[in-house]
Amino acid sequence: MSDIKPFVIVAFGALNQGSYDMFSYWLSYYGAQYGLGIDLRSAGAYPNAQAETVPGRPLRGDALKDPVLQEELYKAVAGDARALGTDVDLYCMPCLSMVGFQAGVERALGKSIVSLADSLARHYAGIEKLGVIHMRPAHARIDEIFGDKAVRPTDKFAQKLLSAEENFKQSGDSHEIESLMYEITQDFANDGLTHVLYARADAPYAQNNIVTSHINIKVESYFEILAQSIAQDLVRSAA
């Protein structure tokens, strides 16, 4: 039996449990690929399972409009991470909507957090054009990370996604969103794109559920890319 201590990774700040589950899946996958021992500890959904603002735990959208709520968010998210222990090798937030809050959370936590934005930028550095299907609050983040290389769904699909998002808020069923993501992926492929990034926390399983065997395009999620980036960093640090 090996006595090598596994790397302790804390994941926090994600919108829902499905996001943590998908990140865990990919981290386990790449951990096995690179021969790494990994102890992943995940926080609960931020701000809560109902995705509603409560005292001390504001929604991201609310925090963007109010500096006081921003500070509450920083402290709450950092507190979620701190509650998972101090014997931690690496902190990460598998949530694109947290990218804009990372500096404040790092300040509140007093620790560095793996940059999802940097992981995505490096991963697609050699790609000229990239199809991206993201949630509305992440629009500015996508612009900051990818600039002009990001290709978004056409207006027709964008309007359908808006309607599907509203339906999702009522039903909690992501099937309609996933179906649209599949159609958009086909549209991207028809336009000659070779890569598409699934960047939606409201449909975290879309990458696994979608059947792309007959679509000539590579589909990845930010959960996968972050997990791969972390595994590669751990290999380098252990060398």
Side-chain angles (χ1 to χ4, degrees):
M1 180 179 296
S2 173
D3 58 356
I4 298 176
K5 182 178 179 293
F7 292 99
V8 177
I9 298 174
V10 161
F12 61 110
L15 181 66
N16 51 41
Q17 184 57 46
S19 294
Y20 290 120
D21 291 344
M22 283 310 304
F23 176 66
S24 176
Y25 170 86
W26 285 112
L27 191 60
S28 295
Y29 174 84
Y30 283 109
Q33 289 285 309
Y34 292 106
L36 298 168
I38 292 175
D39 173 12
L40 174 63
R41 304 173 189 173
S42 298
Y46 182 85
N48 45 51
Q50 294 73 38
E52 297 176 351
T53 287
V54 296
R57 298 179 71 84
L59 283 169
R60 296 156 179 79
D62 293 337
L64 285 172
K65 306 169 190 174
D66 186 332
V68 174
L69 292 182
Q70 281 186 34
E71 290 299 324
E72 290 183 8
L73 182 148
Y74 298 151
K75 293 177 182 178
V77 175
D80 289 348
R82 198 174 290 113
L84 294 173
T86 58
D87 55 331
V88 179
D89 294 298
L90 183 150
Y91 292 91
C92 64
M93 294 189 293
C95 178
L96 195 61
S97 296
M98 287 302 301
V99 167
F101 299 107
Q102 179 157 332
V105 176
E106 285 182 326
R107 172 167 51 82
L109 182 60
K111 301 287 184 180
S112 296
I113 302 169
V114 175
S115 172
L116 173 57
D118 289 349
S119 297
L120 292 170
R122 286 196 305 267
H123 187 79
Y124 291 112
I127 304 301
E128 184 177 353
K129 290 292 182 180
L130 168 71
V132 184
I133 308 176
H134 62 78
M135 298 173 73
R136 279 176 284 176
H139 195 282
R141 304 287 83 78
I142 294 299
D143 285 345
E144 291 168 2
I145 297 168
F146 298 119
D148 292 340
K149 77 163 55 180
V151 178
R152 293 180 167 90
T154 62
D155 290 343
K156 176 185 72 173
F157 283 120
Q159 288 302 314
K160 288 183 177 180
L161 274 174
L162 288 177
S163 176
E165 287 176 15
E166 293 305 315
N167 293 338
F168 171 78
K169 291 176 183 178
Q170 300 299 319
S171 68
D173 184 352
S174 63
H175 177 74
E176 184 181 3
I177 293 175
E178 291 185 9
S179 295
L180 283 169
M181 291 171 73
Y182 178 67
E183 292 181 41
I184 294 166
T185 300
Q186 288 182 307
D187 197 52
F188 283 153
N190 292 339
D191 285 343
L193 296 182
T194 58
H195 291 72
V196 57
L197 170 65
Y198 281 4
R200 299 190 66 93
D202 56 2
Y205 304 108
Q207 182 189 7
N208 282 8
N209 292 342
I210 198 166
V211 179
T212 58
S213 58
H214 65 290
I215 303 178
N216 186 29
I217 196 165
K218 185 175 180 61
V219 175
E220 296 170 292
S221 69
Y222 62 80
F223 306 112
E224 176 183 1
I225 294 166
L226 179 60
Q228 183 181 33
S229 177
I230 287 172
Q232 291 172 340
D233 287 347
L234 290 176
V235 169
R236 285 191 286 268
S237 69

